Amino acid sequence: MKVLVGIKRVVDHNVRVRAKADGSGADIASAKMSINPFDEHAVEEAVRLKEAGVATEVVVVTAGAANAQDVLRHALALGADRAILVETTDHLNSLASAKVLREIAKREAPQLILIGKQAIDDDAAEVGQMLAALLNVGQATFASTIKIANGKAEVTREIDGGQETVELTLPAVITADLRLNDPRYIKLPNMMMAKKKPLETIAIADLQLNTVSKVATINVAEPPARAVGKMLNSVEELIEVLQAQVKVN
Amino acid sequence: MSVLLIAEFDQQSLKAATRSAITAATQLGGDLDVLVIGHNVNAIAQQVAKVQGVTRVLVADDAAYAKPLAENFAPLVQGIAARYSHILAAASSFGKNLVPRVAALLDVDMVSEVTKIIDASTYVRPLYAGNLNATVQTSEVIKLLTVRPTGFTAAKDGEQAAPIEAIATLGDQSLSRFVSENIQVSERPELGTASVIVTGGRSLGSAEKFEALMSPLANKLNAAIGATRAAVDAGFAPNEWQVGQTGTVVAPDVYIAIGVSGAAQHIAGMKESRLIIAINQDPDAQIFQWSDYGLVADLFDAVPKISAAL
Ligand SMILES: Cc1cc2nc3c(=O)[nH]c(=O)nc-3n(C[C@H](O)[C@H](O)[C@H](O)COP(=O)(O)OP(=O)(O)OC[C@H]3O[C@@H](n4cnc5c(N)ncnc54)[C@H](O)[C@@H]3O)c2cc1C
Ligand SMILES: Cc1cc2nc3c(=O)[nH]c(=O)nc-3n(C[C@H](O)[C@H](O)[C@H](O)COP(=O)(O)OP(=O)(O)OC[C@H]3O[C@@H](n4cnc5c(N)ncnc54)[C@H](O)[C@@H]3O)c2cc1C
């Protein structure tokens, strides 16, 4: 079974992102970039499926600029076998990202596609569901456990107030939640090995997709700051605040 | 212009998140049809019909819809989409699972987690864990949205009942199958809609201490209990209590953060709370920058005292 994993290069989760002064976007020119955290869990899961003998090959793909090679190498160091960069300098919207992944899925014919449940830049959480629709296959979003057997995936997903388990006929798309696994720590020899693994580049133009978005960002701004709060001096003062603010049972 | 809203409900009632989405839908203008997809959902349809702002209730009743599988729901919505200018749902796990699938079937780009409606095609949504707000404008023929419930008040019942109409169903698409669910039943208010929330962090130290300290306080305040991701990962609290970028987004009247550092990913989920109170032993903790009232104290000393005094 081949597993395809979609990954995205995003601003590192420790960076506090600010708006550009003119409101045209996020000021990320010099920000530290990383693999999207959810995608790291997706790669880890795919590698574990391979280690368990369930998967035979793990292929990672990203759509992005040439410098997105770094997150592909990161995924290769985690244990992926091969990487594909769909090169574009355009900012792809969700539907365009899903269409790119669909084209790669058509070429690679994976039995399973794993991606992150959301990218921490736009926090959209759309691409997986869109991809599943475009491929007319089943979807399991926000996955915390995946079991593959007999051409089916049994997936436990995080839903409001609890969990739900669904069974999908493969091929299918699964989006990873943070609880799916703990990504391994990458050791230096794996980094070195990753440099030698194949990384193919495809120009986005070769996919002949319309990636123009009808959703335009007209302004990006920081939310208004909260007024400075009051520091209390004692537990008693806090109790008074609570008694004034909350109806106690 | 007509708006279609996809309702979410449990066995008994319409979800509060859907009532908030109804308020958002009415701000778009035009007629508002609410679609109830399920099995034996007569009672739910009657409830929806009474909600203020609803023009018409459409009911798709089929055994294949007994559980909300996006693979089965999405083609149904796609089938009636052409009549509408907007299609929306609450940005709950239900809406987030379904609406993007519908958008792709219609070949349109959507806008997720809308927190504010400026006009029929212009909306505000957060980026980067709520550090930024983007104003976006869509020129899609059919505009698909999920709306964040905390951004809109819940629509109340009105005087009149809207007409209810059955629509044709499409049955099972055979791509997925519901196996089981595990929904936590609790006497406490629901996290997403509670008016008071007490949230504990990793510093509580164990599941036992979490329970022993947080429960009495929550009981006194009739509050829901929340947790940070660190507390959830450590096994002190169940995942569905997680508040934040990747957990539940809340906006209660009062939010009490206990031993919570205030990482951006946590703040993303609670900063719209009306009043924020924090207890942390570190005077430089980030959480104090977001708090209306802060107390520098050891939670193991302060929390039992507070619970006892209330
Ligand atoms: C400041 C700013 C301004 C923007 N302006 C516009 C605009 O004007 N118009 C517009 O249409 N869009 C704009 N966008 C982009 C758009 O909002 C997002 O790119 C789009 O919604 C995709 O969301 P996502 O990647 O967060 O997807 P999600 O659905 O959150 O991502 C889920 C998963 O999909 C996979 N994935 C996502 N992207 C890729 C990829 N490139 N390659 C491989 N896998 C991937 C990853 O596994 C990821 O975890 C803007 C974004 C920002 C930050
Ligand atoms: C992609 C991603 C998504 C994430 N999503 C979320 C999310 O949705 N929600 C979320 O919460 N986090 C999320 N996180 C994690 C987040 O970054 C923080 O790690 C987490 O919020 C920290 O939890 P904490 O405050 O409990 O723990 P810590 O950061 O360890 O803080 C503990 C605090 O308790 C205080 N303390 C210690 N002992 C005492 C005492 N005796 N009395 C009083 N105070 C004490 C300390 O001073 C400290 O401030 C996410 C992270 C990533 C990378």
Side-chain angles (χ1 to χ4, degrees):
Chain A
M1 182 179 87
K2 190 194 280 188
V3 185
L4 182 68
V5 189
I7 65 177
K8 187 178 185 186
R9 185 175 193 260
V10 297
V11 173
D12 187 85
H13 67 86
N14 289 313
V15 175
R16 168 93 191 259
V17 175
R18 298 194 178 274
K20 285 185 190 158
D22 65 0
S24 64
D27 187 4
I28 56 166
S30 57
K32 177 172 188 265
M33 305 295 282
S34 297
I35 181 172
N36 182 40
F38 297 92
D39 302 353
E40 197 171 25
H41 293 263
V43 176
E44 174 68 34
E45 194 68 14
V47 171
R48 288 188 190 188
L49 286 171
K50 191 180 168 197
E51 288 167 347
V54 177
T56 47
E57 191 186 23
V58 177
V59 182
V60 288
V61 53
T62 192
N67 57 10
Q69 286 195 12
D70 59 359
V71 294
L72 290 172
R73 292 286 174 207
H74 179 96
L76 292 170
L78 278 169
D81 298 300
R82 161 163 88 75
I84 301 169
L85 170 65
V86 177
E87 202 172 335
T88 174
T89 48
D90 291 347
H91 205 120
L92 299 181
N93 62 29
S94 298
L95 189 62
S97 305
K99 285 179 177 172
V100 167
L101 293 175
R102 176 195 60 192
E103 293 309 308
I104 301 304
K106 279 203 243 164
R107 292 181 179 211
E108 297 285 338
Q111 280 295 97
L112 180 64
I113 303 174
L114 270 165
I115 73 165
K117 80 159 180 180
Q118 84 193 56
I120 62 162
D121 44 8
D122 315 293
D123 288 327
E126 296 165 359
V127 173
Q129 300 86 309
M130 289 180 164
L131 176 61
L134 295 175
L135 293 168
N136 191 31
V137 300
Q139 68 184 50
T141 48
F142 327 137
S144 56
T145 322
I146 301 173
K147 286 187 214 133
I148 308 281
N150 309 321
K152 307 219 184 249
E154 192 175 279
V155 184
T156 301
R157 2 181 351 248
E158 303 291 346
I159 57 171
D160 299 331
Q163 295 88 37
E164 173 188 84
T165 302
V166 292
E167 185 189 80
L168 309 175
T169 305
L170 298 179
V173 176
I174 302 177
T175 77
D177 211 326
L178 296 172
R179 281 156 57 86
L180 187 55
N181 53 47
D182 287 316
R184 68 198 61 193
Y185 180 77
I186 297 176
K187 299 196 191 82
L188 193 62
N190 297 73
M191 297 278 273
M192 302 311 290
M193 255 150 53
K195 290 203 176 119
K196 299 201 187 87
K197 290 185 181 175
L199 191 160
E200 178 193 0
T201 299
I202 299 173
I204 198 164
D206 293 347
L207 300 180
Q208 300 190 316
L209 295 169
N210 176 7
T211 57
V212 177
S213 177
K214 290 199 168 131
V215 182
T217 299
I218 53 179
N219 180 253
V220 172
E222 283 156 38
R226 232 183 143 92
V228 181
K230 181 172 189 282
M231 293 308 287
L232 304 169
N233 296 310
S234 65
V235 173
E236 288 67 32
E237 283 185 30
L238 183 64
I239 292 165
E240 278 172 37
V241 169
L242 280 174
Q243 279 165 337
Q245 297 287 342
V246 188
K247 205 165 94 331
V248 177
N249 264 357
Chain B
M1 206 173 81
S2 285
V3 177
L4 179 71
L5 182 131
I6 307 159
E8 183 185 1
F9 48 88
D10 56 25
Q11 270 65 39
Q12 286 79 40
S13 54
L14 185 65
K15 287 277 181 83
T18 297
R19 288 181 178 269
S20 297
I22 289 175
T23 301
T26 56
Q27 292 176 10
L28 294 165
D31 286 350
L32 172 60
D33 286 2
V34 178
L35 174 60
V36 176
I37 316 172
H39 188 42
N40 297 330
V41 283
N42 217 336
I44 298 291
Q46 311 258 354
Q47 277 182 37
V48 174
K50 288 192 203 117
V51 181
Q52 218 158 31
V54 176
T55 314
R56 196 161 62 139
V57 183
L58 306 179
V59 181
D61 200 317
D62 191 315
Y65 302 148
K67 294 291 172 186
L69 295 169
E71 295 85 344
N72 292 344
F73 282 25
L76 180 86
V77 181
Q78 178 193 14
I80 58 170
R83 303 181 212 161
Y84 298 97
S85 57
H86 297 77
I87 300 176
L88 66 157
S92 58
S93 61
F94 166 84
K96 290 201 265 194
N97 191 48
L98 174 60
V99 181
R101 189 164 180 116
V102 178
L105 293 178
L106 295 169
D107 196 28
V108 301
D109 224 306
M110 63 171 295
V111 183
S112 289
E113 304 259 0
V114 169
T115 53
K116 200 170 158 191
I117 288 167
I118 294 176
D119 62 39
S121 56
T122 317
Y123 324 107
V124 176
R125 68 175 304 272
L127 298 173
Y128 292 101
N131 279 324
L132 301 178
N133 284 329
T135 305
V136 300
Q137 197 160 53
T138 166
S139 54
E140 292 285 6
V141 209
I142 306 180
K143 297 165 179 60
L144 269 76
L145 317 174
T146 61
V147 297
R148 200 175 259 193
T150 53
F152 305 88
T153 55
K156 295 203 169 59
D157 287 351
E159 302 289 305
Q160 278 164 348
I164 300 175
E165 242 175 65
I167 63 165
T169 59
L170 298 176
D172 191 356
Q173 306 294 308
S174 302
L175 295 173
S176 61
R177 189 173 69 82
F178 171 85
V179 177
S180 62
E181 68 195 341
N182 173 18
I183 305 287
Q184 248 48 57
V185 269
S186 159
E187 303 286 293
R188 293 213 173 84
E190 212 183 299
L191 185 61
T193 47
S195 63
V196 183
I197 296 174
V198 294
T199 286
R202 184 194 342 237
S203 49
L204 278 139
S206 71
E208 293 70 34
K209 286 190 258 177
F210 195 99
E211 163 70 24
L213 263 80
M214 300 300 287
S215 278
L217 184 60
N219 292 344
K220 284 278 170 71
L221 299 170
N222 190 29
I225 300 186
T228 64
R229 174 167 169 227
V232 170
D233 280 352
F236 305 168
N239 186 57
E240 54 271 14
W241 289 2
Q242 183 179 307
V243 172
Q245 179 189 19
T246 45
T248 306
V249 176
V250 301
D253 290 334
V254 182
Y255 188 88
I256 309 172
I258 297 170
V260 171
S261 60
Q265 295 86 0
H266 185 78
I267 300 296
M270 46 67 80
K271 67 185 162 73
E272 304 302 327
S273 304
R274 189 180 59 79
L275 189 86
I276 298 173
I277 300 173
I279 303 173
N280 195 304
Q281 67 180 9
D282 174 7
D284 297 322
Q286 287 278 343
I287 188 76
F288 289 131
Q289 294 177 20
W290 298 90
S291 310
D292 299 285
Y293 294 100
L295 177 67
V296 177
D298 184 338
L299 68 92
F300 294 104
D301 170 54
V303 175
K305 277 191 194 155
I306 298 166
S307 300
L310 292 174

